[in-house]
Structures are given as C-alpha cells and as structure tokens.
Amino acid sequence: MFPVLSRTTSLTRAAVAAVAVAALLSTAACSSSAPASEPTNSSRNEELSIAVQAQPASLDPAQLAEGQQSYIWASIFDTLLMVDKDNKIRPNAAESWKYSDDLRTLTLKLRSDLKFSSGDAVTSKDVAATLERTRTTPGQQQPKLAKVSSISAPDASTVVIQLSAPEPSLLNYLAQATGVIGDADTLASDTTKLRPTGSGPYVLSDKTVDGTEYVMERRDDYWNASAYPFKTVKVKVIQDRTAQYNALQAGEVKAALIQAPQRKQAEGAGFAVKEVQATAALVLVLADRKGELVPALANVKVRQAINMAFDRAQVVKALLNGLGKPTVQVFDPNSGAYDPGLEDAYSFDPAKARKLLAEAGYADGFSMTMPSTVISQSFEPVITQALSDIGVKVTWEPVPPQNTASSIASKKYPAVLWFYGLNSAGRQVGDMYAPEAFLNPFKWQDPEFDKLLQSIATEPDDTARDALYKKVNEYTVKQALNAPIAYVGTLWATAPGIDFLPTGVVLPTVRDFGVSGK
Amino acid sequence: MISYALRRLGAGIVLALLVTLITFFLLSGSLESVARERLGSAATPESLKALMTQLGFDRPAIVQYMDWLGSVLTGDFGTSLFTSQPVAPAVAARLGVTLSLVVTALIITVLVSVALGVWAATRGGLADKVSQGLSLIGYVVPGLLIAIVLVAVFAVNLKLLPATGFTPFAQNPGKWAASITIPVIVLVIGGVASMAAQIRGTMIGELRKDYVRTLRTRGVPTRSIVLRHALRNAASPALTVLSLEFIQMLGGALIIENVFALPGFGAYAFNASLQGDIPIIMGITLFSVMLVVTVNLITDVVNGWLNPKARIY
C-alpha cells in the first residue's frame, strides 16, 4: 500500500513519499504492540484533523456504534484487545487471554499500568462492570454478548467470561466497541453520554462542541502513549461531501474521504490519495430464500440466474466511478474466508440465466417488489434493466430514509439492495447468514450449512477456522444465497505531513494516521 | 395595541399546539424504525422490544404527546436519541448560528434593497434599468452556484475566508464575520432580488400620489419627501415582504448550512428528520412555529405603528 503518486511527481514530492513509506513501514510495525521507532519530539506535537460525516450517537460504552464514529470513541476508550493490519487479534489493555478446552470460558489478564483519565487505576471490576452493562442494555453491542452467561473479576487483573455456547467472534468483538473499558463508578451517570471518564489514549478537551467538533488531547499517562504521534486530534463533523472536500482544500482538515472524480484534482493539489479497494460489498440480498413471498426464490437455479444477470464490471465502471471491484462473494478480500477461485462462478450471461429460469419452471419470468431506499436509488435503473433482461420484473416501493433498516426486517420484501460494511468472517456470518441475522429476515436455515457453522464454533485453531470459513463462503456462492455485485472502495486524501496507513478493513481509529515528517 | 398583540400571541400558542400535535402523530407511525435505527442492523426482537419500552414508545401516541407536552411546560424538552444532547440547549445553540446568519443577511438586504429601490424609483432611466437588472440576476442565478464559486475563489484559492465552520460572535467577532461572510452574501443576493423590486414598485406608486405633489408645491425638499413621507408609506408592504423573506431565508439556510458545514438549525433539522430523532424534531417544530409567530407578531406591531389603520383588526 504505497502512496499514490501522480505522473508529474516532482523530486520534492518523491522525497516526501519516500519518507512517507518509511514512516508507513515503521508505524505498520508498531501496530502489533509497541512502536518500533519513536516519532521525533517535534512531530509528536502535530495536530491531526479529520472530517467525518456523522457524530457519535452517544459515548456511553453500552451505546457505541462502529463506523466513522469510532475515530472518537476509540480514542477515548481503550479496548481489551485490538485487530492489527493483518486482521490478527493482538493484546491491548488485556496483555494475554486464554480459552478453556471447551471454548466456553475466556480468561483475560489485564496490564498492570492501565489508568483512567481521572487518574484512577483501571481494574478488572471496571471491565466486568462495563461488559455486564453492555450485555444487559439495549444497544448496538448487546447482541454480540448474547452467548455470554456471566462475567467475573476474581482478582484485580483477571476477567473471566463464561459462555453458554462457543462464540467464534468474541475476541473480535472485544477488539472493537464491545470491548471498551468504561469507569464502573460513572458508567450509569448522564455525563457518560457526552463526557465519559476515558481509559484510552486521548481525552475530550473543553474546546469540544458536541455534534460539531470533537477536540481530543493526548494523555501522557496512557500506557501506550508513544504509539500515538498526534498531540491533538480534531474530528470535525461535516455532513456534505463537497463541504468536506472544500475543508480539505482550504487546509481546515488534514484528512478526509474524497469521491472518485475528485481524485486527480486532489493529487494535483499535493494531497496524498490512497485507495482502500474494499470497505463494503454491494449486495442484492435475496432474503426470501424460503420462497414465502416469491416462491421462485426458493429455487437455487433462480437465484443463480439472478447472479448471472449483472454486468458487474460495468456497474463498477459506470456507477462506482471505478472505485471498487466486481465480485460474486461478500467476504472481505483480505480475510481468510475469501476465495479468488470463486470469482468465475457467475459471469454475465443473460442467455444462460434465462435458460436456468426455464429449467426451474419460470420460462415466463416472475415479478418481485423491492424497497427503494437511499442506498438503492442510484442503482435502480441498472438493477431493473438487468433483471428484466432475464424475465424478472421489479417494482420499487419508496421507503423513507429512517425506515431503510426496517425495510429488511419488515419481511415485506423478497430482495433488498444493500451495502454491507466488511468485517471479520465470523461477524459477517452473524450479520448475513445465521438464523437470527439481520440480513436473513426470513430465517432461512439449512442442515448442511448449520453443520458447517457448528464446526466453526468448536474449532479452536485460527488456520483451520479460516479454512472452514472458506467452505462457508463457497457454500453461499454455490447456493447463490445472495447476489453480490461489487466490493466498494474508498479514497482517503491526506495533506502533506499526514499519512493514511491501513491496508485492510479494521476499526477506523486514529491509529490509521501517521506523521510523515515535513 | 397591547390587547391586539396578546390576541395574536394566544393564536400563536394554539397554532404551536396544533402543529406539534400533528407532527407527533405523523412521527408516531415510525417509532419502531427509530428504535431499530438506534440499535443498528444487529437488533434482535428482544432488544428492540426492550428499547421501545425504555423510550416509552410502547404507549398510545396521545399519552406520549401529553407526556412530551407536560415535560415541555416544565422546561424539559427531552434528549436527542442520536446525539445524546439535551434538546433545548442543542436547538438554542443551532438557532443562534442560523439567526446570526439570517438576521445579518436581513439587515444588509434591507439596507441594499432600500438604497437600490429608492434610487431606481427616484432617478428612473438607467438607474431603474440597472436596479431591475440586478434584481433579475438575483432571481435567476441559483444561490448554491454562487456559493460554490465564492468558496472556490475566496476560501480555497485565496484562503481569505473559511470554507467551512462557524465561530460564535462572543468568541471572536472578526472570525465570526469571516465565517458568515460568504453564506450571508448568498442569502443577501436572493433577498435583495425580491425586496428591491418591491420597494421600487411601491415607491413609484407613492411618488405619484397627490400628497407628494402637494408637498412638492409647498417647497418641501425632495430628500425629505422621499425619506420621511414616501418611504414611510412604502415601508408597510415592504415589511410584509421582509417577514416572508425572513421565513424563506430560514429555509434557504438549510442548503447554505450544509454547503458551509455550519452547525445551524436547518442542517440540524434536516439530519434529525432523516434519522427520525423525535425529541429533536419536536423541539425544532416548536421553536420554528414560535419563531414564525414572533416574526409575524413583530411585523404586525411595526405595521400598526407605521400605519394606524392596520390596528383595527
């Protein structure tokens, strides 16, 4: 993941790029535990300002949400574990962990030098209290602890999590929002929503204007402060993408996501632009696999035919401005579950699709209604055309923006066009294919698939588990459970002196940015 | 005059009650979606049910409305479901941004429009054509386009003004002025387009009236005739246009605030309605209605002062 350089790269910029690469490599190395090389004192006084589109709903640990909001809460709170750039789980506030042989007891050992922003020591009681509150409070993190039966703190540095059944994604959850450490004494107080006692590398300053600009100062008493090169981090909430780009150009923020057509202009203006090729998957979710609303969808040949209806390369080129990659699978291409061999499974072939439909008994096609949401609108003409070419007539039913998520859960629609933010394979299975998954509203289940998921839950070895996830992926593609269309990428533009570092899909945090030296 | 103002205020309160009641009932149809939005895609039916109970969404809509109204009367407007901020201070802070933008724009609009309108009406000929031409340009060129050009020139290229953000007046008056300069220019262009034409028209009408001729024959100086007599009489209809302009600018501020990332009322209202943030939507509805009622009241009172015939209603 080297900085993208324009053809007119000058010697100065090449030199800056060389420094950037060096910094990138050193910071990438530090991401596993501690920094390999300390940034110089002057560079450690740098300020980072990032533009994001939405403010955090709440900073209460039981109400945290992932996505861009995590630039803020992941700076304020420490997490028990962390995911590194290679998607491996690493120690963080917990210096070690151990599973029992039956994978139902997880014991975590905390570091001894953890401190809250109030100056008090972080103990296992705080960890247990935070987890217990998250487990019992309705919020985005609660379902992730559904298999936790009890949490205890036998001594000041030990936390024991008891599970009712093995949970293969638990370590991943503990490396993200579910695993934050709040202060047991203040968790339930109202101030926690906006001004929590933090356990992380930064603390919210008085200059913060809630909902507009979050100003965070580095805590020098944080155990891993040396891994954070920026003294001050400002996260500015700018909803409009053009306004974000204006702020970047005017020097008001140093890093922002930009849109594909702005790429050349940004590079020409001296910004480093880096592409993350896959952060989400554009998927036509074939929710009604049981055929309750549209009997045709219960037939695997019909689902396969739908998969052959799309000219994916054209969608990427025309609708995603080339920022993405055609695919027939939904798992993160950087994860062990991804299988490049599957990409040829459904090439664009309307004639073959019509043949498959005829074989399934739908020679004259069929009709279905899909929700027209903020997500689907720009893709609707293409989807309608592609499906009508094979004989499937689509009617779009408008859905208000606040009902977008409900449109899936309502079980009113047999298929829904959705952007799925990529995650670890275990989380994706939980979100897309498990019987209780959000993207499986009709609760489709299959004995063979269940057996596969069962084997993953009881597999302690990481490599062996990856192989099993690959099988899961193969099954979902062969059975055409959904019709994935493309991986969707993002472009980060950073001002000179700031580097954007990540290579894979991990939690967005300030660790994604480094100082390249001026 | 006082009883007239009180009657108008009473009508305003009834209007606010009706509007908030209707808004609440319209929102009550999507309570489950709002709860689901809060819980995210991983929401289970159990957690959804628990949150619905916790937020009181499981009660009849009328009970929820009465509860909201009761809290409002004690000064508690609730807490945002999606930002955790108490509604009253959050809305007040946002309203401060929008009002400082709109009021500044309105004052400049009045000054420019009066100058332009009076100039066109009294001089005629080329002055009139220039004035009408400027109004026409203000009408046909979209404010958004002007905003984009001004940002590109003055913020991005020349770096003379900020491209985004807002500095409160109390914090730094200089930075405050810089932060609202381009948004105000955009609002003023639209405002002047309609007001200057209005003042020009009514001024021409006034200047043709008999009393003006009488004043002229008595040797009253033209300046005095125009500013003390004709303009005062022309101000009444212009004031009505001004109050409508104020309300229109509040709407226009929504787009401007998004383009300049100003933490104002319009952008906040837009976002809250997208998310279904019920306490915020209710707070904004109430504040908006009261704002419109207040502006109309002030217009009527000033109109009554300018023109005693208007007080008889």
Side-chain angles (χ1 to χ4, degrees):
Chain A
M1 200 69 183
F2 294 98
V4 180
L5 299 171
S6 71
R7 282 182 196 156
T8 53
T9 303
S10 66
L11 276 176
T12 326
R13 285 182 58 208
V16 170
V19 177
V21 172
L24 185 156
L25 293 174
S26 66
T27 323
C30 83
S31 64
S32 57
S33 56
S37 66
E38 297 265 323
T40 62
N41 278 337
S42 63
S43 70
R44 284 186 57 75
N45 290 327
E46 285 281 336
E47 178 185 296
L48 172 69
S49 44
I50 318 170
V52 299
Q53 279 189 294
Q55 74 275 46
S58 170
L59 294 173
D60 175 344
Q63 301 294 343
L64 298 179
E66 278 142 11
Q68 289 199 329
Q69 305 186 2
S70 57
Y71 286 119
I72 298 163
W73 62 251
S75 299
I76 298 170
F77 291 113
D78 222 355
T79 51
L80 284 163
L81 305 171
M82 65 174 281
V83 182
D84 71 10
K85 311 292 177 199
D86 302 317
N87 278 327
K88 294 269 178 281
I89 306 280
R90 301 279 180 207
N92 199 43
E95 59 185 0
S96 66
W97 66 88
K98 198 176 180 312
Y99 259 119
S100 62
D101 289 342
D102 65 356
L103 299 175
R104 286 178 184 225
T105 309
L106 175 69
T107 308
L108 298 139
K109 283 274 176 204
L110 300 182
R111 301 178 58 92
S112 56
D113 49 356
L114 302 173
K115 266 188 188 166
F116 284 116
S117 54
S118 61
D120 294 345
V122 173
T123 68
S124 57
K125 273 190 183 154
D126 296 297
V127 175
T130 311
L131 284 170
E132 183 61 31
R133 191 158 169 279
T134 303
R135 187 174 83 93
T136 51
T137 311
Q140 301 213 4
Q141 305 307 317
Q142 189 189 25
K144 295 172 190 167
L145 296 176
K147 288 178 186 158
V148 172
S149 52
S150 70
I151 303 147
S152 57
D155 64 55
S157 64
T158 309
V159 178
V160 180
I161 301 175
Q162 209 69 46
L163 297 164
S164 57
E167 169 55 89
S169 294
L170 184 62
L171 294 178
N172 186 281
Y173 295 152
L174 296 180
Q176 303 199 31
T178 317
V180 302
I181 306 174
D183 173 18
D185 296 336
T186 59
L187 272 177
S189 77
D190 259 357
T191 53
T192 300
K193 289 177 185 169
L194 296 171
R195 294 287 178 280
T197 307
S199 51
Y202 290 89
V203 63
L204 273 173
S205 112
D206 296 340
K207 290 176 190 152
T208 296
V209 182
D210 295 305
T212 304
E213 185 175 41
Y214 295 80
V215 184
M216 298 178 287
E217 298 291 343
R218 189 176 54 214
R219 282 177 54 202
D220 290 323
D221 59 345
Y222 176 67
W223 66 273
N224 197 15
S226 60
Y228 293 84
F230 301 101
K231 188 171 187 301
T232 308
V233 174
K234 285 184 181 170
V235 181
K236 294 189 182 187
V237 182
I238 303 178
Q239 279 161 7
D240 186 77
R241 293 291 293 268
T242 312
Q244 281 200 356
Y245 188 54
N246 287 340
L248 183 75
Q249 285 182 301
E252 288 157 19
V253 294
K254 290 182 179 170
L257 281 170
I258 61 168
Q259 290 162 304
Q262 294 161 339
R263 180 182 199 144
K264 278 222 159 74
Q265 195 193 348
E267 284 171 349
F271 294 99
V273 179
K274 281 191 190 171
E275 180 176 342
V276 182
Q277 205 180 31
T279 54
L282 175 66
V283 190
L284 180 62
V285 178
L286 303 177
D288 189 21
R289 281 163 226 137
K290 287 158 83 177
E292 287 177 22
L293 297 174
V294 177
L297 287 179
N299 191 316
V300 65
K301 286 186 177 172
V302 171
R303 299 196 300 264
Q304 288 172 335
I306 290 175
N307 265 277
M308 289 173 189
F310 302 109
D311 185 349
R312 294 175 168 84
Q314 197 55 35
V315 171
V316 170
K317 199 175 152 201
L319 294 175
L320 299 176
N321 288 303
L323 190 58
K325 187 180 159 225
T327 187
V328 300
Q329 43 194 322
V330 294
F331 288 92
D332 180 2
N334 292 308
S335 77
Y338 181 78
D339 183 354
L342 289 172
E343 291 296 6
D344 299 329
Y346 304 110
S347 41
F348 175 51
D349 194 343
K352 198 171 168 192
R354 278 192 296 272
K355 208 172 141 225
L356 271 175
L357 277 179
E359 282 174 26
Y362 295 94
D364 296 331
F366 60 92
S367 305
M368 60 182 185
T369 304
M370 299 211 282
S372 171
T373 64
V374 280
I375 293 172
S376 70
Q377 272 152 15
S378 55
F379 297 92
E380 284 168 17
V382 167
I383 304 282
T384 308
Q385 184 65 49
L387 291 176
S388 89
D389 283 350
I390 65 165
V392 180
K393 191 173 173 293
V394 177
T395 309
W396 297 91
E397 204 170 272
V399 164
Q402 71 269 26
N403 291 5
T404 305
S406 308
S407 68
I408 288 194
S410 67
K411 289 174 76 172
K412 263 173 70 184
Y413 304 102
V416 179
L417 191 73
W418 198 251
F419 274 110
Y420 178 82
L422 300 179
N423 223 306
S424 71
R427 287 184 72 160
Q428 289 206 216
V429 169
D431 289 345
M432 303 187 99
Y433 302 114
E436 68 283 358
F438 167 63
L439 293 176
N440 184 13
F442 290 86
K443 302 200 183 302
W444 167 91
Q445 259 183 301
D446 174 84
E448 189 190 335
F449 193 63
D450 283 350
K451 226 169 110 186
L452 205 50
L453 295 189
Q454 205 56 47
S455 64
I456 289 174
T458 51
E459 176 54 64
D461 180 67
D462 285 352
T463 317
R465 208 164 46 230
D466 274 352
L468 289 170
Y469 276 126
K470 227 173 217 149
K471 279 191 177 172
V472 167
N473 189 11
E474 188 187 338
Y475 180 92
T476 64
V477 172
K478 294 270 161 74
Q479 286 293 314
L481 297 185
N482 289 313
I485 296 170
Y487 288 121
V488 185
T490 51
L491 288 177
W492 270 100
T494 52
I498 306 289
D499 268 330
F500 178 66
L501 306 166
T503 52
V505 175
V506 285
L507 189 72
T509 71
V510 293
R511 288 194 303 252
D512 296 349
F513 299 91
V515 181
S516 60
K518 282 184 179 168
Chain B
M1 193 75 205
I2 292 174
S3 76
Y4 166 71
L6 284 176
R7 263 183 289 135
R8 295 302 302 261
L9 193 65
I13 291 170
V14 173
L15 182 71
L17 279 175
L18 274 175
V19 172
T20 51
L21 182 70
I22 293 167
T23 308
F24 198 89
F25 273 84
L26 288 175
L27 291 171
S28 64
S30 54
L31 295 179
E32 196 185 311
S33 301
V34 174
R36 189 174 287 282
E37 187 78 19
R38 263 265 313 252
L39 292 173
S41 58
T44 59
E46 296 77 40
S47 59
L48 198 63
K49 203 173 161 216
L51 185 64
M52 295 278 286
T53 313
Q54 191 184 313
L55 297 174
F57 286 177
D58 54 344
R59 298 169 307 156
I62 186 69
V63 176
Q64 292 182 54
Y65 176 76
M66 293 311 287
D67 200 24
W68 173 82
L69 193 62
S71 301
V72 165
L73 291 175
T74 61
D76 176 13
F77 289 74
T79 304
S80 160
L81 298 176
F82 294 93
T83 66
S84 300
Q85 289 172 277
V87 174
V91 170
R94 304 266 172 169
L95 198 59
V97 176
T98 303
L99 283 183
S100 77
L101 192 70
V102 170
V103 170
T104 310
L106 217 52
I107 292 170
I108 298 174
T109 300
V110 170
L111 294 177
V112 175
S113 302
V114 167
L116 216 54
V118 170
W119 184 53
T122 52
R123 291 286 167 90
L126 184 65
D128 195 18
K129 287 203 168 66
V130 170
S131 163
Q132 289 195 58
L134 287 175
S135 293
L136 193 67
I137 292 170
Y139 261 125
V140 294
V141 182
L144 195 62
L145 186 70
I146 299 169
I148 290 167
V149 172
L150 293 177
V151 169
V153 175
F154 293 102
V156 174
N157 284 329
L158 299 175
K159 294 199 171 25
L160 291 174
L161 296 165
T164 58
F166 177 81
T167 310
F169 182 84
Q171 197 179 315
N172 185 330
K175 281 192 173 174
W176 167 79
S179 68
I180 64 162
T181 298
I182 304 179
V184 163
I185 290 173
V186 176
L187 288 177
V188 164
I189 290 173
V192 166
S194 51
M195 267 207 79
Q198 166 71 32
I199 290 175
R200 174 194 165 272
T202 43
M203 276 301 282
I204 288 175
E206 287 299 319
L207 290 172
R208 283 179 188 156
K209 283 187 178 164
D210 289 346
Y211 77 92
V212 173
R213 205 178 312 136
T214 313
L215 288 171
R216 279 194 209 279
T217 54
R218 281 185 189 169
V220 178
T222 308
R223 172 187 289 261
S224 178
I225 294 172
V226 171
L227 298 180
R228 284 189 55 196
H229 300 279
L231 189 58
R232 179 165 174 160
N233 289 334
S236 196
L239 201 66
T240 311
V241 175
L242 188 70
S243 71
L244 292 174
E245 193 57 45
F246 174 82
I247 293 159
Q248 203 174 335
M249 275 189 186
L250 281 181
L254 182 139
I255 300 165
I256 298 296
E257 283 164 8
N258 264 324
V259 172
F260 294 93
L262 299 175
F265 197 61
Y268 198 45
F270 180 68
N271 202 33
S273 56
L274 278 187
Q275 287 179 307
D277 196 338
I278 293 168
I280 292 289
I281 298 173
M282 290 304 290
I284 282 173
T285 307
L286 185 61
F287 276 83
S288 306
V289 174
M290 293 317 288
L291 200 63
V292 171
V293 166
T294 311
V295 167
N296 283 335
L297 188 65
I298 293 171
T299 312
D300 290 344
V301 169
V302 176
N303 249 335
W305 171 71
L306 283 169
N307 177 10
K309 277 188 281 181
R311 288 179 220 164
I312 55 172
Y313 299 110

